């Protein structure tokens, strides 16, 4: 009996190893999008210009969820690099996957922003500032590295034709814009004078880095759509990624305007305030135009059988940046229409997050999501 049981136990253990390790092999950097999409629900909800009982408590709970998700995904990705280094290196030179390394930086920064916005209700102000500053430093360094390294590898390691242009190409260049939104929140916690001014202007410089890179990439994406038609069905949700730099830049200029009076001399501080509206209104207008165009193409793809993939997370964070952008403009202009716009977009964000999150959990625990990843 003992001899019969031992081989069976060994076989079972081997089978478990075979099932678990290959699934981790396909756990790519796109999973950081789940953290970003969750964190923005908390941040955007806390800034809504309406008083909803229990909303801030709910946002704090969602922030805690995003922090836990960040820890889980970071651990899984570290294990991926340890056990499947060949696959991880292959991802770095794969033009379809490499841009998602920008999501690592944005996940850190999104959770950091949520920590200062609502997380301090749970962990205290001092701990929130230290945590947010740490995440800001790590996210900014990784984001700046991704903005250089990923495009470099795409240039020297692959010959990419115009027909392969994708909104995913924006992912490595958006992180500095997210840093430009979190940096101003940390400005008041620095000593007055040079330190505050340095962080304010550094955040403004990162705004410029991301904005100019976006202005280079956006025409290529639109040209690809016009010349080669709609994206493949599975990639259609990625069209919403264009909203990311648009909404995030609108958010950034408003946050910079809020922080400027305590960090820089009066003429420049007033200029930051004026620029927030002068820049933010037309850019948010274009974001709404793109949202309608992308929604029409997504509806078309859905009618043709668009499958569920991780690209559905593009329905969350980019839309969330438009919510925070509208909130900032509403604050600086006092326009009620912008307040209602923020509320309407937030309802869309929460709906997209709930549906995408449910489909992700079902695919993850059902084994179909990671199994499908092996074929993409």
């Amino acid at each position: 009996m003992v001899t019969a049981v031992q081989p069976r136990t060994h076989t079972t253990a081997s089978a478990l190893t075979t099932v678990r390790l290959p699934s981790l092999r396909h756990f790519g950097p796109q999973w950081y999008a789940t953290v970003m999409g969750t964190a923005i629900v908390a941040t955007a909800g806390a800034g809504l210009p309406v008083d909803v009982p229990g909303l801030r408590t709910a946002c704090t709970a969602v922030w805690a969820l995003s922090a836990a998700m960040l820890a889980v995904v970071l651990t899984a990705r570290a294990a991926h690099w340890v056990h499947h280094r060949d696959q991880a290196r292959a991802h770095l030179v794969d033009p379809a996957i490499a841009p998602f390394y920008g999501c690592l930086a944005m996940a850190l920064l999104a959770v950091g922003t949520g920590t200062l916005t609502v997380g301090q209700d749970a962990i205290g102000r001092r701990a929130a500032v230290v945590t947010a500053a740490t995440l800001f430093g790590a996210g900014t360094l990784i984001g700046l590295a991704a903005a250089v390294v990923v495009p470099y590898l795409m240039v020297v390691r692959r010959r990419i034709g115009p027909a392969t242009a994708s909104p995913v190409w924006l992912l490595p260049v958006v992180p500095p814009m997210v840093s430009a939104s979190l940096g101003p929140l940390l400005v008041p916690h620095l000593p007055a004078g040079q330190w505050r001014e340095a962080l304010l202007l550094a955040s403004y410089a990162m705004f410029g880095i991301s904005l100019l890179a976006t202005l280079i990439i956006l025409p290529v994406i639109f040209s690809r759509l016009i010349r080669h038609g709609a994206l493949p069905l599975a990639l259609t949700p990625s069209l919403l990624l264009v909203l990311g730099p648009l909404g995030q830049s609108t958010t950034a200029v408003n946050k910079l305007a809020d922080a400027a009076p305590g960090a820089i001399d009066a003429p420049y501080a007033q200029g930051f305030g004026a620029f927030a509206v002068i820049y933010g209104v037309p850019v948010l207008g274009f974001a709404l135009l793109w949202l309608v165009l992308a929604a029409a193409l997504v509806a078309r793809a859905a009618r043709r059988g668009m499958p569920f993939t991780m690209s559905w997370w593009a329905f969350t964070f980019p839309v969330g940046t438009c919510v925070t952008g509208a909130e900032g403009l509403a604050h600086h202009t006092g326009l009620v229409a912008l307040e209602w716009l923020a509320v309407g977009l937030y309802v869309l964000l929460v709906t997209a997050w709930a549906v995408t999150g449910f489909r992700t959990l079902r695919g993850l625990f059902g084994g179909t999501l990671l199994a499908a990843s092996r074929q993409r």
Side-chain angles (χ1 to χ4, degrees):
M1 292 295 293
V2 176
T3 353
V5 171
Q6 284 177 344
R8 194 172 300 167
T9 305
H10 177 73
T11 304
T12 304
S14 301
L16 288 174
T17 305
T18 306
V19 170
R20 289 174 183 171
L21 292 182
S23 65
L24 187 61
R25 180 175 178 81
H26 301 280
F27 196 88
Q30 62 268 36
W31 282 88
Y32 287 114
T34 64
V35 180
M36 298 159 51
T38 302
I40 197 70
V41 172
T43 305
L48 286 176
V50 292
D51 186 16
V52 179
L55 177 60
R56 188 170 181 87
T57 302
C59 289
T60 304
V62 173
W63 163 80
L65 174 62
S66 71
M69 291 170 63
L70 177 61
V72 170
V73 177
L74 282 173
T75 302
R77 289 290 300 148
H80 181 269
W81 269 95
V82 170
H83 296 291
H84 306 289
R85 194 166 301 173
D86 61 323
Q87 183 78 353
R89 289 175 175 171
H91 285 168
L92 275 175
V93 294
D94 186 337
I97 299 179
F100 285 96
Y101 276 91
C103 292
L104 165 57
M106 289 188 281
L108 296 170
L109 294 165
V111 174
T113 302
T115 303
L116 271 186
T117 306
V118 294
Q120 59 180 318
D121 295 352
I123 65 176
R125 183 179 178 184
R126 181 177 178 79
V129 171
V130 172
T131 302
T134 303
L135 292 172
F136 172 75
T140 297
L141 291 176
I142 294 171
L144 290 173
V148 175
V149 173
V150 174
Y152 172 81
L153 290 175
M154 292 175 70
V155 168
V156 301
R157 294 294 184 92
R158 286 286 185 272
R159 295 297 179 190
I160 302 172
T164 61
S166 165
V168 171
W169 290 6
L170 290 167
L171 291 174
V173 302
V174 176
M177 191 67 80
V178 185
S179 293
S181 301
L182 176 53
L185 300 182
L186 293 168
V187 166
H189 301 284
L190 292 175
Q194 289 287 314
W195 284 98
R196 291 187 181 182
E197 185 175 353
L199 181 55
L200 181 77
L201 294 182
S203 299
Y204 194 37
M206 287 187 285
F207 164 85
I209 290 171
S210 185
L211 176 64
L212 295 176
T214 298
L215 291 177
I216 293 172
I217 297 172
L218 272 182
V220 179
I221 296 171
F222 190 70
S223 174
R224 180 256 176 266
L225 292 174
I226 295 298
R227 294 188 176 192
H228 302 281
L231 295 176
L233 296 182
L235 294 179
T236 302
S238 67
L239 288 169
L240 275 294
L241 293 175
V242 173
L243 298 178
L246 302 176
Q248 196 67 60
S249 62
T250 304
T251 302
V253 292
N254 281 279
K255 297 297 183 185
L256 289 164
D258 290 339
I264 202 167
D265 292 338
Y268 298 108
Q270 294 169 357
F272 273 95
F275 183 65
V277 177
I278 293 172
Y279 172 88
V281 171
V283 170
L284 186 61
F286 178 71
L288 294 176
L289 172 66
W290 189 271
L291 176 60
V292 174
L293 173 63
L297 289 170
V298 167
R300 173 182 176 273
R303 290 194 301 270
R304 299 184 177 201
M306 180 180 70
F308 175 76
T309 65
M310 290 298 290
S311 66
W312 281 41
W313 282 96
F315 295 142
T316 57
F317 187 81
V319 174
T321 65
C322 293
V323 177
T324 55
E327 290 170 351
L329 286 174
H331 170 70
H332 284 107
T333 63
L335 195 62
V336 176
L338 286 170
E339 295 180 354
W340 283 108
L341 175 62
V343 172
L345 288 173
Y346 187 70
V347 172
L348 177 63
L349 167 64
V350 172
T351 303
W353 175 70
V355 171
T356 305
F358 173 76
R359 295 292 298 271
T360 301
L361 287 173
R362 188 172 71 176
L364 182 62
F365 290 110
T368 57
L369 190 57
L370 288 175
S373 297
R374 297 186 188 110
Q375 300 169 3
R376 288 193 298 269

